[in-house]
Amino acid sequence: MINYTNILREHNLKATPQRLAIADELYKKGHISIESLYELMVNKFSSISLATIYKNINLMLENSFIQEIKIPYSKSVYELTQAPHSHLACEKCFAVEDITIDLNSIIDIITKESSFKITSTNLVLSGICENCQLG
Ligand SMILES: [Zn+2]
Ligand SMILES: [Zn+2]
């Protein structure tokens, strides 16, 4: 288990037991929605409210400790901040996978075809995951 106390402090966040538990769940699950996180957290902190989870998540987002991934036609998921990467979102089970692909060729094409200036590449591709293809 990674000790997130210092990592939280580096992001100007006090390492409260709740925040350490949130960091641990994000580390274990990779990507998680607020609702799923709430269910996991209630098992550890019986009196925790959904509002408290939202407050912590928003603060962690503001301080770049975590990142939001907006999933088309579904709820956002959150992950610990890491190197830029793209996402694959399953339309059936809503699982989200990481994928690292070189987007420079796509940016080059866009730059040639339009005068639009790309400043960020938050790519989410939708489809059916391996497990759901078998099912
Ligand atoms: Zn799936
Ligand atoms: Zn990711």
Side-chain angles (χ1 to χ4, degrees):
M1 204 176 117
I2 296 171
N3 184 351
Y4 283 101
T5 306
N6 289 329
I7 305 171
L8 281 162
R9 284 187 190 141
E10 280 163 20
H11 290 85
N12 299 316
L13 294 161
K14 239 204 261 169
T16 64
Q18 280 104 329
R19 285 177 194 162
L20 288 169
I22 290 173
D24 193 43
E25 293 300 348
L26 287 167
Y27 174 72
K28 281 194 280 192
K29 305 279 174 197
H31 310 90
I32 198 166
S33 69
I34 288 201
E35 289 72 16
S36 306
L37 182 62
Y38 174 62
E39 280 170 32
L40 292 164
M41 292 292 285
V42 162
N43 293 330
K44 291 180 184 170
F45 308 92
S46 54
S47 62
I48 201 164
S49 69
L50 189 56
T52 302
I53 305 276
Y54 270 100
K55 232 189 268 171
N56 275 305
I57 287 292
N58 285 330
L59 210 62
M60 286 171 157
L61 276 174
E62 280 169 27
N63 292 283
S64 303
F65 178 70
I66 61 169
Q67 289 169 322
E68 180 178 11
I69 304 138
K70 295 192 170 109
I71 308 295
Y73 312 110
S74 184
K75 285 171 179 142
S76 283
V77 295
Y78 301 84
E79 69 182 355
L80 295 165
T81 298
Q82 44 195 301
H85 58 277
S86 302
H87 288 96
L88 303 173
C90 180
E91 291 167 354
K92 282 196 172 173
C93 69
F94 304 109
V96 176
E97 293 173 31
D98 287 334
I99 186 150
T100 304
I101 36 177
D102 184 4
L103 296 172
N104 287 324
S105 56
I106 295 171
I107 294 169
D108 283 349
I109 293 166
I110 293 164
T111 308
K112 271 174 207 148
E113 307 238 326
S114 80
S115 48
F116 199 89
K117 189 180 187 307
I118 307 290
T119 53
S120 72
T121 52
N122 303 305
L123 185 65
V124 179
L125 298 159
S126 303
I128 312 294
C129 77
E130 197 177 1
N131 275 340
C132 291
Q133 285 176 46
L134 299 169

